[in-house]
Amino acid sequence: MNLPQKHIKETKKLISALPERKIANWLLTQGFYPEQYVLPPCFKVLKFTYKKNPYFDFSKKIPLSEICEITFPKSQLTERAFGIINHKIYHDLVWHILDNWNDVKALLFNSKNNIYSYSFPIPLNKESVGTLGTLRSGRMIYEFIEMSESDIVSEGHKYKLVVKSDIKNFYPSIYTHSIAWAINGKEDARKDRYKFNLLGNKLDKLFQNANDGCTNGIAIGPAISDLVTEVMLSVIDTDISKELKKESIDFIGVRFKDDYRFLCQTESDAHEILNIVQRNLKSFNLSISEEKSTVSKLPEGLFREWTSEYHLYSLKYGYPIKYKLFENTFRKVLFIDKNYPNTGVIDKFLSELISKKYNLKLKLSSKQIYKVFSLLLMLKEKRSKSLPQILAVTELLISTYKKETEVINRIFISLNELTERKLKRENSNVYDLIWLTYFLKSHGKLTAKWPRRVESELLQSIKSNEQKFDLETTYCKLFSRIELPTKNILLAKHLAIFPKEEDE
C-alpha cells in the first residue's frame, strides 16, 4: 500500500467515526463563511440551528437569492471572487447532504478510484478520532504540502515522470446539472430533473437558486461548495481511474481540490493521462488548464522552487528582528515574488514577523516604525490577499510601540486617508474597504469621510456594526458586533494558520 492509499484509508476512517450531527454543526458554523483571510472576525456565525426538516419543499417554488460576493484582484485583468450563500439555502444543502450521508461517503471512497484526494474540506482530528479539528485553512495547507512535498516525493523513486495539471476556472465553470450527473448518473438525473426525488437534482436546484437561477458557477469559499465539488470530482476521478487501468498505465494519482499530480513511467503514458483526464472532465463541461499542465522528469517538478530561495533569508528563527535584517529580507521577497509570481512568499514573510505567542518580532527605533508600516503596505500591491496579514502586523506594531503616540497617530491617519481614497471607487475596492474599515473601527479610529450610500451590504454591516445582509434570519445570527478597542480578537489570532506553540 503506497502513502496516498494510506492517506485516503485514514481519511475514510476518521470521517466514518464522525457523528453526522457534528458534521452538520461544523458546516453551519465554521464552514458557512469563506476562510479567515476573506472576511474579518466580525463575520462570524454565533448561532445557526440545524432544523429537523429543510426550509424548502421542492413541490413548491423555491425563491431565488443572490450570492453575496467579495472580490479582490488576482491580476490587472482577473479577480478572485468569494461568496456567501443565503443561509436558508445553505442550511438545506447541508441537510440534504447529511440525509444521504452514506451514499455520499460511498462516492467519496469508491474502491475503484485510484486518484487519492487530499482535500476533504472538514477538519479531521487524527489525535482524537470522532472529533473535529479546530483548523480550516491551516489543515488544508498542511494537506497540500503532505501531498505534494511528502507523499509524492516518497513514492517518486518508483517512477520517472511527474504530471501536473489543474481544472481551468473550476468553481465559476461548474455546470450545476453536472452535480446531479455525478451523483446520480446522467440518465437518471435527466429523468428526475423536475421531480426532485434524487439528491443530485436537489443540490443542483439549490445551487441554482442561491445564484439567481444561474446554472453556471457555484459560490467559492463556503465549505458546502467544497464538499459537493469533492463528491463530484471523486466520481470523475473514479471514471479516470477505470480508463487508466484499462490502458494498463502504471501510475500514482493524487488530487488537491482541482489540482492533479500523477507519477508515471513514460512520456506516452504522461500524455495519455492528460488526454484521459481532459476527456472525462469534458463530459462534465470542465477542462484542464493547458498553460498549467506540465510533464517533468523526476526529481524536477516535485518542489516549490521559491521555498529553497527564501529559506536562505527566512526570518522564522529570528528574534528579535532588527530593521536592517527586515529590510534585506523584504528586498529578497520582492525579488522572489518577481521570479515566482502568485506564490506564497509574501504570506510566508509576513507570518514570520509574528512569534508563536502572537508577539511582534521586530525591534525598531521610533523612526523605523512608520518606515516598516509603509513598506508593508506596499506589499499589498504585489499580493492583494495579503492585506489582512499586513493589518495584523500593523496591529502588533501599534500595541508594541503604543508609547510612540505621534507615529501611531500617523499610521491611523494614513489608513483613514487610504480608506477615503478607496471609498471613491467602492466597487473596485470592497475587499480592501471591508478590512480597512474593520481595522479602524475595532481600534476606535475610523474618521474617514463616507459617502451617503455604499452598495456593499458587508461594508454597510461593518460601518453600522449590525448585520445588513441576508436579513430574514430566524434560526441563525451571522454577525458579531465589533467591540470597543482592546476587546476584539487579535487579527494575528484570527488569521492563524497553524496552532501556536511555545517559542523555542
Side-chain angles (χ1 to χ4, degrees):
M1 184 181 291
N2 60 44
L3 291 175
Q5 285 175 315
K6 288 181 179 179
H7 176 273
I8 205 69
K9 184 178 180 181
E10 181 179 42
T11 301
K12 181 180 179 180
K13 174 187 172 184
L14 293 172
I15 291 169
S16 299
L18 279 174
E20 291 177 19
R21 190 75 181 193
K22 283 188 179 180
I23 296 170
N25 289 336
W26 186 91
L27 287 168
L28 292 176
T29 54
Q30 303 302 311
F32 179 77
Y33 285 115
E35 296 173 13
Q36 298 101 305
Y37 70 89
V38 179
L39 287 167
C42 57
F43 293 97
K44 178 182 180 181
V45 176
L46 301 176
K47 180 182 71 171
F48 201 157
T49 304
Y50 186 59
K51 298 177 63 185
K52 290 182 179 179
N53 297 297
Y55 278 99
F56 300 115
D57 182 346
F58 285 95
S59 66
K60 301 175 183 177
K61 186 175 181 180
I62 299 175
L64 296 177
S65 65
E66 293 186 17
I67 294 171
C68 188
E69 285 197 334
I70 316 101
T71 64
F72 60 77
K74 291 174 66 178
S75 66
Q76 285 187 325
L77 299 175
T78 60
E79 289 185 326
R80 178 75 164 167
F82 291 87
I84 302 169
I85 297 173
N86 172 275
H87 79 281
K88 291 182 179 179
I89 291 179
Y90 188 93
H91 172 277
D92 283 9
L93 285 165
V94 173
W95 195 96
H96 288 293
I97 283 281
L98 272 297
D99 192 47
N100 295 269
W101 190 232
N102 287 334
D103 293 336
V104 169
K105 285 190 293 183
L107 295 174
L108 286 168
F109 302 105
N110 190 319
S111 61
K112 295 180 180 179
N113 183 5
N114 296 318
I115 299 171
Y116 306 108
S117 172
Y118 283 70
S119 49
F120 187 72
I122 299 171
L124 306 170
N125 191 341
K126 296 178 183 179
E127 306 302 321
S128 180
V129 177
T131 64
L132 288 164
T134 56
L135 301 176
R136 184 176 175 188
S137 297
R139 179 183 169 274
M140 296 308 284
I141 291 171
Y142 174 80
E143 291 282 272
F144 175 78
I145 294 172
E146 183 180 11
M147 176 192 83
S148 61
E149 296 184 6
S150 178
D151 291 0
I152 284 293
V153 174
S154 297
E155 300 291 342
H157 67 283
K158 305 171 188 175
Y159 296 87
K160 292 182 172 61
L161 300 170
V162 59
V163 180
K164 295 182 182 179
S165 189
D166 70 9
I167 301 172
K168 187 175 183 178
N169 204 26
F170 179 45
Y171 283 86
S173 298
I174 291 174
Y175 184 48
T176 60
H177 293 336
S178 66
I179 296 170
W181 299 346
I183 293 174
N184 299 114
K186 282 188 180 182
E187 187 176 343
D188 288 343
R190 284 169 175 162
K191 288 179 181 177
D192 181 64
R193 179 166 292 178
Y194 303 107
K195 298 176 183 176
F196 302 107
N197 294 315
L198 299 177
L199 171 63
N201 284 330
K202 291 175 182 177
L203 299 180
D204 173 10
K205 182 63 175 176
L206 289 169
F207 273 117
Q208 283 182 50
N209 284 39
N211 193 19
D212 201 27
C214 295
T215 55
N216 278 334
I218 66 173
I220 302 173
I224 196 65
S225 294
D226 294 336
L227 181 56
V228 170
T229 54
E230 267 301 303
V231 176
M232 179 180 171
L233 289 178
S234 294
V235 172
I236 296 172
D237 291 348
T238 302
D239 293 340
I240 294 170
S241 299
K242 291 175 182 176
E243 281 202 53
L244 291 173
K245 183 179 180 181
K246 186 178 178 181
E247 295 296 326
S248 300
I249 294 176
D250 179 17
F251 76 98
I252 290 179
V254 295
R255 178 177 55 76
F256 179 84
K257 294 192 175 182
D258 59 341
D259 184 347
Y260 284 95
R261 308 285 168 95
F262 294 90
L263 297 176
C264 64
Q265 301 291 4
T266 67
E267 289 273 354
S268 61
D269 284 351
H271 293 299
E272 186 60 20
I273 286 170
L274 287 173
N275 287 335
I276 289 172
V277 171
Q278 171 64 8
R279 190 159 58 243
N280 280 276
L281 288 173
K282 188 177 180 181
S283 66
F284 287 84
N285 284 23
L286 298 167
S287 62
I288 61 173
S289 173
E290 287 190 39
E291 61 271 20
K292 293 183 181 179
S293 297
T294 60
V295 178
S296 305
K297 289 184 178 180
L298 294 169
E300 295 173 14
L302 286 177
F303 301 100
R304 297 169 295 165
E305 292 300 322
W306 68 265
T307 58
S308 60
E309 289 195 33
Y310 180 72
H311 180 73
L312 299 172
Y313 300 86
S314 171
L315 299 175
K316 183 176 181 179
Y317 300 108
Y319 195 85
I321 300 167
K322 294 187 177 180
Y323 177 79
K324 198 61 184 175
L325 177 58
F326 164 84
E327 185 184 291
N328 286 339
T329 304
F330 179 92
R331 293 166 70 176
K332 188 61 182 178
V333 166
L334 295 180
F335 179 79
I336 295 171
D337 183 67
K338 184 177 180 180
N339 291 333
Y340 303 97
N342 301 317
T343 58
V345 64
I346 290 175
D347 300 335
K348 181 74 170 172
F349 167 68
L350 290 168
S351 71
E352 291 180 353
L353 301 178
I354 301 172
S355 78
K356 294 177 181 179
K357 292 182 179 178
Y358 302 106
N359 294 317
L360 185 70
K361 292 164 68 174
L362 294 169
K363 186 176 182 180
L364 307 170
S365 69
S366 179
K367 291 182 178 180
Q368 293 166 345
I369 298 168
Y370 193 80
K371 194 174 179 181
V372 166
F373 163 73
S374 179
L375 288 172
L376 290 176
L377 210 53
M378 292 181 204
L379 286 179
K380 191 266 171 194
E381 302 307 314
K382 297 288 183 181
R383 187 166 173 82
S384 296
K385 65 172 282 190
S386 68
L387 179 60
Q389 278 186 284
I390 291 166
L391 292 175
V393 177
T394 300
E395 186 171 57
L396 293 178
L397 268 176
I398 290 167
S399 61
T400 304
Y401 297 101
K402 57 187 175 184
K403 292 183 180 179
E404 302 286 348
T405 54
E406 184 178 343
V407 178
I408 301 307
N409 285 336
R410 284 181 67 198
I411 289 174
F412 281 124
I413 289 169
S414 295
L415 290 174
N416 273 289
E417 289 173 348
L418 178 61
T419 302
E420 284 191 18
R421 289 198 300 273
K422 289 185 176 293
L423 277 166
K424 291 177 182 177
R425 294 185 176 179
E426 179 204 338
N427 291 337
S428 301
N429 295 299
V430 171
Y431 180 74
D432 291 357
L433 285 166
I434 283 171
W435 281 96
L436 287 167
T437 306
Y438 170 81
F439 181 84
L440 290 166
K441 195 171 184 68
S442 68
H443 288 274
K445 296 291 184 179
L446 180 60
T447 60
K449 295 179 181 178
W450 278 58
R452 287 187 176 182
R453 184 175 178 274
V454 293
E455 291 185 21
S456 168
E457 294 173 338
L458 302 179
L459 200 50
Q460 291 175 23
S461 300
I462 295 176
K463 180 65 168 60
S464 63
N465 212 5
E466 62 179 347
Q467 186 176 325
K468 294 292 185 179
F469 60 97
D470 200 357
L471 293 175
E472 295 180 14
T473 51
T474 305
Y475 295 93
C476 66
K477 186 176 181 183
L478 307 176
F479 186 83
S480 175
R481 282 184 57 82
I482 303 168
E483 301 296 338
L484 296 172
T486 75
K487 300 294 184 182
N488 299 290
I489 184 174
L490 274 177
L491 285 183
K493 287 186 178 182
H494 171 70
L495 297 169
I497 294 174
F498 295 109
K500 300 292 181 179
E501 299 167 355
E502 294 298 311
D503 282 319
E504 296 178 1

